[in-house]
PDB file of all heavy atoms in Angstrom:
ATOM      1  N   LEU A  90      50.321 102.902  43.643  1.00  0.00           N
ATOM      2  CA  LEU A  90      50.773 101.671  43.055  1.00  0.00           C
ATOM      3  C   LEU A  90      50.953 101.888  41.518  1.00  0.00           C
ATOM      4  O   LEU A  90      50.174 102.565  40.893  1.00  0.00           O
ATOM      5  CB  LEU A  90      49.806 100.534  43.324  1.00  0.00           C
ATOM      6  CG  LEU A  90      49.589 100.168  44.737  1.00  0.00           C
ATOM      7  CD1 LEU A  90      48.504  99.155  44.965  1.00  0.00           C
ATOM      8  CD2 LEU A  90      50.916  99.587  45.352  1.00  0.00           C
ATOM      9  N   PRO A  91      51.941 101.162  40.977  1.00  0.00           N
ATOM     10  CA  PRO A  91      52.142 101.266  39.463  1.00  0.00           C
ATOM     11  C   PRO A  91      50.936 100.648  38.836  1.00  0.00           C
ATOM     12  O   PRO A  91      50.405  99.718  39.385  1.00  0.00           O
ATOM     13  CB  PRO A  91      53.389 100.423  39.158  1.00  0.00           C
ATOM     14  CG  PRO A  91      53.605  99.593  40.485  1.00  0.00           C
ATOM     15  CD  PRO A  91      52.928 100.358  41.619  1.00  0.00           C
ATOM     16  N   GLU A  92      50.576 101.182  37.718  1.00  0.00           N
ATOM     17  CA  GLU A  92      49.462 100.570  36.938  1.00  0.00           C
ATOM     18  C   GLU A  92      49.821  99.246  36.375  1.00  0.00           C
ATOM     19  O   GLU A  92      50.930  99.071  35.946  1.00  0.00           O
ATOM     20  CB  GLU A  92      49.087 101.527  35.811  1.00  0.00           C
ATOM     21  CG  GLU A  92      48.237 102.742  36.142  1.00  0.00           C
ATOM     22  CD  GLU A  92      47.714 103.459  35.058  1.00  0.00           C
ATOM     23  OE1 GLU A  92      47.245 102.890  34.111  1.00  0.00           O
ATOM     24  OE2 GLU A  92      47.591 104.737  35.156  1.00  0.00           O
ATOM     25  N   ARG A  93      48.896  98.397  36.406  1.00  0.00           N
ATOM     26  CA  ARG A  93      49.120  97.043  35.716  1.00  0.00           C
ATOM     27  C   ARG A  93      48.791  97.166  34.250  1.00  0.00           C
ATOM     28  O   ARG A  93      47.970  97.865  33.847  1.00  0.00           O
ATOM     29  CB  ARG A  93      48.040  96.045  36.216  1.00  0.00           C
ATOM     30  CG  ARG A  93      48.327  95.586  37.617  1.00  0.00           C
ATOM     31  CD  ARG A  93      47.319  94.467  37.838  1.00  0.00           C
ATOM     32  NE  ARG A  93      47.375  93.871  39.153  1.00  0.00           N
ATOM     33  CZ  ARG A  93      46.540  92.963  39.566  1.00  0.00           C
ATOM     34  NH1 ARG A  93      45.601  92.522  38.797  1.00  0.00           N
ATOM     35  NH2 ARG A  93      46.606  92.560  40.715  1.00  0.00           N
ATOM     36  N   PRO A  94      49.743  96.457  33.500  1.00  0.00           N
ATOM     37  CA  PRO A  94      49.424  96.496  32.047  1.00  0.00           C
ATOM     38  C   PRO A  94      48.043  95.776  31.815  1.00  0.00           C
ATOM     39  O   PRO A  94      47.791  94.777  32.495  1.00  0.00           O
ATOM     40  CB  PRO A  94      50.581  95.699  31.397  1.00  0.00           C
ATOM     41  CG  PRO A  94      51.208  94.936  32.561  1.00  0.00           C
ATOM     42  CD  PRO A  94      50.848  95.699  33.855  1.00  0.00           C
ATOM     43  N   GLN A  95      47.285  96.280  30.891  1.00  0.00           N
ATOM     44  CA  GLN A  95      45.931  95.701  30.581  1.00  0.00           C
ATOM     45  C   GLN A  95      46.174  94.440  29.740  1.00  0.00           C
ATOM     46  O   GLN A  95      46.973  94.392  28.850  1.00  0.00           O
ATOM     47  CB  GLN A  95      45.122  96.660  29.716  1.00  0.00           C
ATOM     48  CG  GLN A  95      44.609  97.940  30.523  1.00  0.00           C
ATOM     49  CD  GLN A  95      43.708  97.497  31.680  1.00  0.00           C
ATOM     50  OE1 GLN A  95      42.922  96.532  31.527  1.00  0.00           O
ATOM     51  NE2 GLN A  95      43.716  98.246  32.765  1.00  0.00           N
ATOM     52  N   SER A  96      45.375  93.472  30.162  1.00  0.00           N
ATOM     53  CA  SER A  96      45.556  92.184  29.477  1.00  0.00           C
ATOM     54  C   SER A  96      44.266  91.933  28.695  1.00  0.00           C
ATOM     55  O   SER A  96      43.197  92.316  29.150  1.00  0.00           O
ATOM     56  CB  SER A  96      45.784  90.980  30.493  1.00  0.00           C
ATOM     57  OG  SER A  96      45.662  89.810  29.880  1.00  0.00           O
ATOM     58  N   PRO A  97      44.323  91.267  27.558  1.00  0.00           N
ATOM     59  CA  PRO A  97      43.129  91.052  26.764  1.00  0.00           C
ATOM     60  C   PRO A  97      42.304  89.952  27.418  1.00  0.00           C
ATOM     61  O   PRO A  97      41.148  89.922  27.145  1.00  0.00           O
ATOM     62  CB  PRO A  97      43.590  90.602  25.437  1.00  0.00           C
ATOM     63  CG  PRO A  97      44.948  90.143  25.671  1.00  0.00           C
ATOM     64  CD  PRO A  97      45.588  90.935  26.809  1.00  0.00           C
ATOM     65  N   ARG A  98      42.855  89.186  28.394  1.00  0.00           N
ATOM     66  CA  ARG A  98      42.163  88.156  28.955  1.00  0.00           C
ATOM     67  C   ARG A  98      41.636  88.585  30.339  1.00  0.00           C
ATOM     68  O   ARG A  98      42.360  89.337  31.077  1.00  0.00           O
ATOM     69  CB  ARG A  98      42.989  86.899  29.196  1.00  0.00           C
ATOM     70  CG  ARG A  98      43.445  86.412  27.828  1.00  0.00           C
ATOM     71  CD  ARG A  98      44.222  85.103  28.077  1.00  0.00           C
ATOM     72  NE  ARG A  98      45.195  85.165  29.217  1.00  0.00           N
ATOM     73  CZ  ARG A  98      45.837  84.158  29.800  1.00  0.00           C
ATOM     74  NH1 ARG A  98      45.659  83.064  29.238  1.00  0.00           N
ATOM     75  NH2 ARG A  98      46.615  84.393  30.818  1.00  0.00           N
ATOM     76  N   PRO A  99      40.520  88.132  30.847  1.00  0.00           N
ATOM     77  CA  PRO A  99      40.082  88.474  32.176  1.00  0.00           C
ATOM     78  C   PRO A  99      40.896  87.845  33.159  1.00  0.00           C
ATOM     79  O   PRO A  99      41.646  86.814  32.953  1.00  0.00           O
ATOM     80  CB  PRO A  99      38.638  87.975  32.243  1.00  0.00           C
ATOM     81  CG  PRO A  99      38.543  86.914  31.160  1.00  0.00           C
ATOM     82  CD  PRO A  99      39.573  87.253  30.137  1.00  0.00           C
ATOM     83  N   ILE A 100      41.083  88.458  34.309  1.00  0.00           N
ATOM     84  CA  ILE A 100      41.834  87.878  35.496  1.00  0.00           C
ATOM     85  C   ILE A 100      41.263  86.561  36.015  1.00  0.00           C
ATOM     86  O   ILE A 100      41.904  85.604  36.195  1.00  0.00           O
ATOM     87  CB  ILE A 100      41.940  88.845  36.706  1.00  0.00           C
ATOM     88  CG1 ILE A 100      42.711  90.150  36.164  1.00  0.00           C
ATOM     89  CG2 ILE A 100      42.682  88.267  37.860  1.00  0.00           C
ATOM     90  CD1 ILE A 100      42.715  91.204  37.122  1.00  0.00           C
TER      91      ILE A 100
END
Side-chain angles (χ1 to χ4, degrees):
L90 295 174
E92 283 191 38
R93 285 187 184 177
Q95 291 295 329
S96 171
R98 299 182 322 169
I100 295 173

